[in-house]
Each structure stands twice: as structure tokens, then as C-alpha cells.
Amino acid sequence: MSNANLPTQGGATALAERGASRQYLTFTLGGELFAMPIEQIREIIEFGGMTEIPLMPGFLRGVINMRGAVVPVIDLAVRFGRERTEIARRTCIVIIELEQEGQMLLLGVLVDAVNEVLTVEPGQVEPRPAFGARIRAEFIEGMINLDQRFVIALDIRLVLSVDELASLIGMAAETGAATGE
């Protein structure tokens, strides 16, 4: 399930400003449909297990070995304050590449199932709602209008904010040390 010919990073803002269409990967999480821009997605892999790391926050499910690189795997459901993702037949890990301080970092995102890639026209994306979503408002880039339903488009850079995740991991490590775990 590799996506070797996905567009390169950095074009999302420019595309939006020019009014061009944009592609999103849709996936399910806890029975809800979400989407993320494909610019940072490097590949999608079937869930094949991972190594759990003690004393990490619940959203950090573990790490996988991807061609010799250690890739942390974030449970998106837990990141959104929900129950842990149950591993099932269609569970996937979406590999995202993010830039931090001039370096490219790989992060895995655990989702219930990957659905399809949508090409979305600018007029199909509505502003994020001020209320009603069951996740933090800043995680929402907008709402994709698909006929009679909406798909929540995530701002994956904020969802996977490396600085915020690192501070949460640091707090969990300090809490573990303070409690003697």
C-alpha cells in the first residue's frame, strides 16, 4: 500500500491561494470520517505490530522499524481524547513526514482504516466550526462539503505538533519519575 507518487511537501498553501484543487486522504477513526492533506504523507502501511515503550503518554503507542529507521506511532484517537484504537483487520499506519528545525522527521499515525484519496475544490472546504466537533478546534483545518455530509479536514501539522508532543512526553516522563514508576 505504498504511495510513492504523492506530491511533495510545501505546495498546500500555494495551491489554496491560487484556488487550485487539493488532494486529501480520507480515513475512519472511531466511526467518524476524517481527512488529511496528502502533501506530508509518505506511505500507508498495514498494521504489523509495534514495540511499546514504557512510561510514555497514551497517545504514543510505540515505535516501528521502517527500513532501519525508528518511527514513533501516534494513536490519533487518544490524541483526540478518545479511547485507544482497537487493532482490527483494516487498521493502518499512515507515515507522515514533518519538518522540525531543518530536519525531516517521520511519524506514524494509527487509524482504523484508510478509505480513499479525494480531490477537493476550494469551494468544497468550509471554515472550521466554532462548536460541535469532538476534537480541539485548532486541529481542524476546515470541513470538506461532500454533497449532504461533511468530512473533518485535519491540520496535521498542529495535530502532530512535534514541540507539543515532545513537551507532553517530557511531562509524562517527569510524572513517572516523580511517582517512582
Side-chain angles (χ1 to χ4, degrees):
M1 276 213 268
S2 180
N3 287 324
N5 52 354
L6 294 175
T8 58
Q9 175 185 352
T13 306
L15 287 175
E17 289 171 0
R18 287 196 307 256
S21 61
R22 189 171 180 197
Q23 291 188 310
Y24 290 84
L25 175 72
T26 62
F27 59 93
T28 53
L29 193 64
E32 289 184 76
L33 193 59
F34 291 91
M36 66 176 82
I38 65 170
E39 289 92 22
Q40 287 117 347
I41 298 173
R42 290 300 153 240
E43 63 185 283
I44 300 163
I45 59 176
E46 293 178 65
F47 182 83
M50 70 182 93
T51 303
E52 291 193 23
I53 302 173
L55 303 177
M56 287 293 116
F59 66 81
L60 184 60
R61 286 288 290 263
V63 295
I64 58 172
N65 180 344
M66 198 170 109
R67 294 182 286 285
V70 176
V71 178
V73 177
I74 307 297
D75 188 332
L76 208 50
V78 175
R79 179 77 170 125
F80 292 163
R82 300 174 181 182
E83 295 294 316
R84 235 174 121 129
T85 299
E86 292 296 323
I87 306 304
R89 187 178 59 83
R90 294 191 60 207
T91 303
C92 294
I93 299 174
V94 180
I95 305 297
I96 309 283
E97 189 174 55
L98 296 174
E99 185 176 344
Q100 183 193 21
E101 299 173 4
Q103 292 186 355
M104 297 311 284
L105 301 173
L106 291 178
L107 288 173
V109 176
L110 189 64
V111 300
D112 291 338
V114 168
N115 299 332
E116 64 181 321
V117 174
L118 296 176
T119 300
V120 177
E121 299 302 322
Q124 289 179 274
V125 180
E126 307 286 336
R128 70 179 175 219
F131 62 90
R134 294 178 14 203
I135 63 174
R136 287 173 32 188
E138 66 266 22
F139 288 173
I140 301 174
E141 179 180 279
M143 304 294 287
I144 300 172
N145 188 346
L146 296 178
D147 297 321
Q148 299 300 313
R149 63 189 176 110
F150 285 97
V151 177
I152 298 171
L154 299 174
D155 185 332
I156 204 67
R157 289 181 185 190
L158 290 178
V159 170
L160 299 178
S161 166
V162 176
D163 293 334
E164 183 180 353
L165 294 176
S167 70
L168 290 171
I169 290 168
M171 285 189 298
E174 288 173 16
T175 302
T179 60
E181 292 179 17

